[in-house]
């Protein structure tokens, strides 16, 4: 649980971030940590003398690192490959010398182009009693003699959401920021502080965060916006990337290896073909969505929900296939918000918004797309600040439950005339629906039940938002949103650790025979692992996701 100060210090840019599948904490953060090791060795001129690298994983990284593809992320990072541009499906063989991600256990060396080939070993330590996602990198050199400044060992921690660092606990964001235009600690105080245009109030805070980033740049997070126009451009780019995931998720090549080895059967393309067939223009992403807008005019409500379903599946399957996704608020829950946003874009947004989204007209005014993303990230930020958004801390309720609340709040805000009561009525109802849901990923993969949960959360978000908009301001939720957040945190504290992203209980346990048969490369939840896990307690300070 994030330690609460006098008010929430959380920017929309801290929640909606680009990354890579399948996990922000287990794939993206380890990749970035390994890249930091590469940068240190390359900058110091020590790569040429490198003889061997061993990496030991601890905590949840050790338990589900194979299924979450920490195994893929670390060697690619150690080779200096850029996590934001590397394509696992097409570049893996040439880089690591293995034909498929399922062959990663065979990797025993790393070949640096124009440099040495070094021995490589990845160790999963499930015995040490640690509640931190820790990575220890150890380096051996050919000359063996100590050298000034040359690292023999580097330790990094994954904090969740793709964040990483060398300290066991992540330092609070915006530490030197002493005030904000709109200060709040939860949804109730936010609505009280901003009774008018909630999005404009949040944007005032965003300008303050942007100015802070300009004065205090963070080298671990380069490129974040430093003025209002930059925030708008950032969110526009996030919206476009969400659309890219849907587009790519129904048009990918059938021979894509990362899709072929998925344990969960990909279904988005099949649903798309059944619903749309060849009626849409798939030549470009913009043409694709403009044609869907034309086709959807004649859709029944059932067909509109089919569209939401295939959107959620497309994005979540992209995450499972190690594509470049958007944390919303996490990778495991990345399908819900894009599905509901693009439901709005396809069925309700006006042409001016579409022109703006695809860069045909400039502008920084708060259109519906921006408002949706601002409200969604604000809802997610409240949950993260007062509870958690981590499957490793609170089960799936913390991840998909939060994404559902984000999506429902964002859509209800638009359908309900930007009304704050309607916004949080919908967010509460959607979060309430997910309370108690477990995180028990089959095979440690971010596929099942994650993909299906995103689909159901997106459908619930759409229907809840519509219902709350129709009820209007005369109805105020009998359970305040903040109470639902508190309940989720209490459930998190009482939930058995088997159901917190360890793959040692629930669906993961009952499906282990099938996993062994179809994906023997994965780390099955054996009795030995279950016994080891039973002696560990997961701290609520963890922010894994």
């Amino acid at each position: 649980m994030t330690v609460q100060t006098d008010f929430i210090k959380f920017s929309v840019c801290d929640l909606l971030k680009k990354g890579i599948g399948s996990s922000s904490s287990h794939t993206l953060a380890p990749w970035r940590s390994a890249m930091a090791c590469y940068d240190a060795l390359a900058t110091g001129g020590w790569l040429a003398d490198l003889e061997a690298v061993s990496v030991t994983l601890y905590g949840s990284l050790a338990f589900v690192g194979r299924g979450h593809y920490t195994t893929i992320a670390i060697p690619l990072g150690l080779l200096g490959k850029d996590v934001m541009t590397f394509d696992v499906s097409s570049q893996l063989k040439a880089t690591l010398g293995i034909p498929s991600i399922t062959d990663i256990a065979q990797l025993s060396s790393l070949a640096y182009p124009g440099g040495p080939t070094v021995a490589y070993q990845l160790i999963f330590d499930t015995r040490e009693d640690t509640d931190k996602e820790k990575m220890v990198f150890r380096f051996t050199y050919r000359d063996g003699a100590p050298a000034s400044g040359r690292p023999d060992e580097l330790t990094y921690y994954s904090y969740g959401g793709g964040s990483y660092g060398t300290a066991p606990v992540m330092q609070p964001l915006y530490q030197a920021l002493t005030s904000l235009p709109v200060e709040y600690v939860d949804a109730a105080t936010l609505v009280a502080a901003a009774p008018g245009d909630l999005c404009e109030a949040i944007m005032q805070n965003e300008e303050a965060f942007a100015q802070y980033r300009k004065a205090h740049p963070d080298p671990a997070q380069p490129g974040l916006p430093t003025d209002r126009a930059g925030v708008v451009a950032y969110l526009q780019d996030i919206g476009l990337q969400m659309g890219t995931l849907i587009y790519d998720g129904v048009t990918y090549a059938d021979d894509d290896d990362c899709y072929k080895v998925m344990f969960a059967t990909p279904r988005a393309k099949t649903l798309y073909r059944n619903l749309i067939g060849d009626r849409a223009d798939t030549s470009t992403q913009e043409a694709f969505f403009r044609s869907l807008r034309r086709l959807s005019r004649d859709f029944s409500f059932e067909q509109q929900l089919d569209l939401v379903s295939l959107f959620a599946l497309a994005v979540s399957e992209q995450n499972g296939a190690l594509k470049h996704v958007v944390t919303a608020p996490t990778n495991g829950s990345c399908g819900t918000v894009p599905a509901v946003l693009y439901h709005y874009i396809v069925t309700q947004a006006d042409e001016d918004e579409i022109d703006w989204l695809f860069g045909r007209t400039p502008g920084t005014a708060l259109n519906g797309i921006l408002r949706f993303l601002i409200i969604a990230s604000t809802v997610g930020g409240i949950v993260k600040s007062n509870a958690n958004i981590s499957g490793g801390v609170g089960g799936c309720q913390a991840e998909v439950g939060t994404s559902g609340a984000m999506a429902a709040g964002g859509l209800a805000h638009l359908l309900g005339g930007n009304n704050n009561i309607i916004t949080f009525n919908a967010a509460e109802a959607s979060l309430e629906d997910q309370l108690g849901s477990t995180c028990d990923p089959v095979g440690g993969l971010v596929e099942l039940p994650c993909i299906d949960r995103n689909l159901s959360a997106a459908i619930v978000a759409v229907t809840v938002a519509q219902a709350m908009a129709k009820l209007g301001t005369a109805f105020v939720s009998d359970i305040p949103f903040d109470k639902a957040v508190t309940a989720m945190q209490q459930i998190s504290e009482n939930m058995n650790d088997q159901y917190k992203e360890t793959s040692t209980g629930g669906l993961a346990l009952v499906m282990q025979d099938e996993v062994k048969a179809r994906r023997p490369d994965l780390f099955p939840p054996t009795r030995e692992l279950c016994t080891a896990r039973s002696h560990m307690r997961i701290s609520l300070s963890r922010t894994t996701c």
Side-chain angles (χ1 to χ4, degrees):
M1 179 177 178
T2 304
V3 177
Q4 187 65 61
T5 55
D6 48 349
F7 57 89
I8 289 177
K9 299 178 183 179
F10 205 86
S11 166
V12 298
C13 304
D14 300 321
L15 201 76
L16 301 175
K17 297 184 289 188
K18 288 185 179 181
I20 194 167
S22 60
S23 167
S24 50
S25 60
H26 290 60
T27 317
L28 180 58
W31 194 320
R32 286 176 168 166
S33 299
M35 285 180 66
C37 292
Y38 170 83
D39 290 340
L41 295 172
T43 301
W46 299 308
L47 274 178
D49 196 41
L50 190 63
E51 185 176 53
V53 181
S54 71
V55 186
T56 304
L57 305 178
Y58 299 90
S60 180
L61 290 170
F63 278 86
V64 295
R66 285 185 172 88
H68 281 39
Y69 296 118
T70 313
T71 50
I72 299 292
I74 285 180
L76 291 174
L78 285 170
L79 289 170
K81 300 303 178 182
D82 186 348
V83 66
M84 298 311 301
T85 59
F86 190 87
D87 183 80
V88 176
S89 294
S90 63
Q91 296 177 284
L92 186 70
K93 184 176 182 180
T95 305
L96 297 183
I98 57 174
S100 169
I101 57 176
T102 59
D103 301 307
I104 191 63
Q106 301 174 13
L107 187 67
S108 60
S109 64
L110 302 176
Y112 288 88
T117 295
V118 306
Y120 170 74
Q121 183 181 24
L122 185 60
I123 302 166
F124 299 81
D125 190 334
T126 59
R127 297 294 187 177
E128 181 175 323
D129 188 4
T130 176
D131 61 6
K132 300 292 189 297
E133 274 53 71
K134 184 171 69 172
M135 298 157 277
V136 178
F137 298 80
R138 296 181 176 89
F139 308 101
T140 304
Y141 303 93
R142 287 182 172 82
D143 65 10
S148 177
R150 188 175 69 180
D152 294 319
E153 181 177 299
L154 293 171
T155 299
Y156 285 91
Y157 296 86
S158 171
Y159 304 131
S163 299
Y164 70 99
T166 57
V169 179
M170 183 179 180
Q171 298 302 304
L173 299 172
Y174 311 108
Q175 290 189 76
L177 189 64
T178 58
S179 65
L180 283 172
V182 180
E183 296 178 357
Y184 61 97
V185 297
D186 53 21
T189 53
L190 172 59
V191 171
D197 190 334
L198 186 59
C199 285
E200 186 55 51
I202 295 299
M203 281 301 290
Q204 291 177 30
N205 281 1
E206 288 304 313
E207 291 184 61
F209 289 128
Q211 292 170 9
Y212 182 93
R213 287 191 290 262
K214 186 174 183 178
H216 305 86
D218 183 356
Q221 300 188 80
L224 290 181
T226 55
D227 55 26
R228 182 186 177 109
V231 174
V232 171
Y234 180 93
L235 290 175
Q236 180 184 27
D237 186 51
I238 289 292
L240 280 172
Q241 182 62 24
M242 288 179 173
T244 298
L245 292 164
I246 295 171
Y247 174 66
D248 290 349
V250 298
T251 60
Y252 64 86
D254 289 334
D255 62 352
D256 187 308
D257 178 67
C258 288
Y259 273 95
K260 288 167 63 178
V261 303
M262 285 178 64
F263 187 87
T265 303
R267 290 157 286 165
K269 185 182 281 191
T270 300
L271 279 180
Y272 171 75
R273 287 169 176 166
N274 292 342
L275 180 64
I276 304 298
D278 59 359
R279 293 181 294 162
D281 183 350
T282 58
S283 59
T284 66
Q285 180 178 332
E286 180 180 357
F288 173 73
F289 283 111
R290 287 188 182 276
S291 60
L292 287 186
R293 280 170 58 81
R294 290 192 296 270
L295 292 169
S296 69
R297 293 169 188 162
D298 299 323
F299 278 6
S300 65
F301 181 63
E302 178 183 354
Q303 288 174 313
Q304 289 185 11
L305 291 185
D306 286 343
L307 203 60
V308 175
S309 297
L310 76 87
F311 285 172
L313 287 175
V315 176
S316 296
E317 288 169 4
Q318 283 269 292
N319 181 62
L322 297 175
K323 307 304 181 184
H324 293 95
V325 299
V326 174
T327 59
T330 66
N331 281 36
S333 58
C334 70
T336 309
V337 171
V340 179
L341 172 62
Y342 272 81
H343 163 73
Y344 168 78
I345 288 172
V346 168
T347 64
Q348 297 172 55
D350 60 41
E351 284 298 318
D352 289 342
E353 291 178 86
I354 305 305
D355 289 341
W356 170 84
L357 177 64
F358 290 107
R360 294 190 175 275
T361 57
T364 58
L366 296 183
N367 57 43
I369 297 171
L370 282 170
R371 287 181 175 275
F372 180 100
L373 292 172
I374 291 167
I375 293 297
S377 56
T378 300
V379 169
I382 291 171
V383 178
K384 182 177 174 67
S385 298
N386 289 295
N388 72 90
I389 58 169
S390 164
V393 173
C396 193
Q397 59 166 359
E399 296 203 24
V400 175
T402 302
S403 71
M406 292 166 62
L411 183 59
H413 195 75
L414 302 183
L415 301 182
N418 304 333
N419 183 272
N420 299 340
I421 293 175
I422 294 172
T423 296
F424 284 104
N425 281 349
E428 187 283 325
S430 188
L431 178 59
E432 182 184 320
D433 181 66
Q434 287 283 338
L435 289 180
S437 61
T438 58
C439 181
D440 47 354
V442 174
L445 295 160
V446 189
E447 297 180 17
L448 296 174
C450 324
I451 294 172
D452 293 335
R453 293 256 177 85
N454 277 270
L455 185 159
S456 61
I459 294 297
V460 168
V462 170
T463 54
V464 160
Q466 291 180 334
M468 295 305 169
K470 290 176 181 177
L471 286 169
T473 57
F475 172 73
V476 178
S477 177
D478 297 305
I479 302 175
F481 178 72
D482 295 321
K483 295 287 188 180
V485 173
T486 299
M488 191 193 79
Q489 182 60 19
Q490 291 177 350
I491 294 169
S492 298
E493 295 177 22
N494 294 320
M495 185 178 287
N496 190 292
D497 287 351
Q498 288 183 326
Y499 308 116
K500 295 179 178 179
E501 203 176 8
T502 61
S503 290
T504 57
L507 289 172
L509 193 60
V510 301
M511 288 295 292
Q512 64 178 324
D513 290 340
E514 288 81 356
V515 171
K516 289 177 183 177
R518 289 175 52 187
R519 288 290 303 273
D521 58 299
L522 298 176
F523 203 155
T526 61
R527 287 188 179 88
E528 181 182 8
L529 281 178
C530 291
T531 300
R533 195 50 170 164
S534 69
H535 296 301
M536 300 171 65
R537 291 297 300 173
I538 299 177
S539 168
L540 286 173
S541 65
R542 284 191 357 171
T543 54
T544 303
C545 50

